[in-house]
Amino acid sequence: MEQLTVDELAVRVGLPGSTIRMYQTKGVLHPPKRQGRLAFYDASHVERLTLVQRLQARGFSLSAIAELVKAREQGASVAAVLGVGDTEGPDDWVRVRVRDMRRLVPTGDVRPAVLRRAIELGLVRWRRGWPHTRRWALEAGNRLALLAVPADDVLDSFANLRAATDGIAADFVEVFERRLWPQLAEKSEQEDQLDRIRALLVELTYTAETVVVGTLRESIREAAEEFARRHGLLPGDDFRPAWAEEPLPIAERLIDHENEIPDEPAIRRFLDQGDDS
């Protein structure tokens, strides 16, 4: 491994030696390796200083950079550092005991293959000889177990759901990168970017959760209607109850399931007329 003195490192990264020592004091640069009275730096220090310069150019303060670096060295995820990661509540990890597994699989068929697949899907993590899962997953699993839904069906559904949510997350991150990230770069000298990024990501996450939950509810409503039609649980289309003839707005709404799709001129007339017409 290449060894550099502080002066050689300073030339390599284009910084004064005093700045490098200050970075060490601030906690953004790890100490050099010492051999007697001599201190030697290596490629990891070059990489760290390059990162510091890049983050400073984006408007991050040294204290924010030190916080990011320290959290990362302690194994924290980026999401946790930015305020959208593992917190107390439904997202925290809890240990799964054998009795929990037996509740999750009502038939008592606690097969290693089922647990291994849950680990491969990321639903379960194996830590220090124990399986762990998110609290929300454990609670949801208990509810599904009470309904006697087989574990294989649960894992199949989770795999499909995770694929869908990965796509949704990628879409929102793409919006952040394309629309919000450039705005942060323009304001890099006005405020500390770490707090600004935290605020934006928390807001974006809340918005994404609201949209996903709302859209899922709409999808479930429509799927329930389709299920009822498929199994003959609804009257025919020509069925009209006695109260349908009453001139009540609520009755009209109840029997009118059609969704009109106006043409663009109709939409334009609506927009032009305003709310007072």
Side-chain angles (χ1 to χ4, degrees), residues 47-80:
E47 180 183 8
R48 175 64 58 79
L49 289 172
T50 302
L51 172 64
V52 171
Q53 290 174 301
R54 186 163 61 247
L55 290 175
Q56 282 186 310
R58 279 282 182 179
F60 287 81
S61 65
L62 284 181
S63 61
I65 296 172
E67 183 181 351
L68 285 170
V69 168
K70 182 179 179 181
R72 196 60 169 174
E73 289 177 344
Q74 293 177 347
S77 66
V78 173

Side-chain angles (χ1 to χ4, degrees), residues 131-262:
H132 293 71
T133 189
R134 299 282 193 187
R135 189 179 299 278
W136 63 261
L138 185 60
E139 293 174 356
N142 284 327
R143 288 195 293 269
L144 290 171
L146 290 174
L147 298 173
V149 179
D152 288 331
D153 288 350
V154 172
L155 294 180
D156 287 343
S157 296
F158 176 78
N160 295 332
L161 178 62
R162 182 55 192 265
T165 55
D166 283 347
I168 294 170
D171 288 341
F172 273 88
V173 170
E174 190 274 334
V175 170
F176 180 88
E177 184 175 4
R178 178 165 49 89
R179 296 296 186 185
L180 303 180
W181 186 245
Q183 297 177 22
L184 292 171
E186 293 174 0
K187 300 178 181 179
S188 61
E189 298 179 358
Q190 300 179 20
E191 56 186 318
D192 190 343
Q193 297 295 66
L194 182 56
D195 289 338
R196 179 65 177 151
I197 288 178
R198 279 177 177 152
L200 286 173
L201 281 180
V202 169
E203 181 66 23
L204 197 62
T205 300
Y206 175 77
T207 302
E209 290 175 349
T210 303
V211 171
V212 169
V213 171
T215 305
L216 178 60
R217 285 175 176 165
E218 288 297 324
S219 297
I220 290 177
R221 291 186 188 106
E222 294 180 6
E225 286 287 327
E226 177 58 30
F227 173 85
R229 291 192 194 95
R230 193 165 60 249
H231 289 273
L233 303 180
L234 296 175
D237 293 337
D238 57 348
F239 171 76
R240 289 180 66 82
W243 48 259
E245 302 302 328
E246 297 294 328
L248 297 176
I250 184 63
E252 294 173 2
R253 288 199 298 270
L254 284 172
I255 63 174
D256 183 11
H257 297 294
E258 295 299 323
N259 179 34
E260 298 180 9
I261 308 218

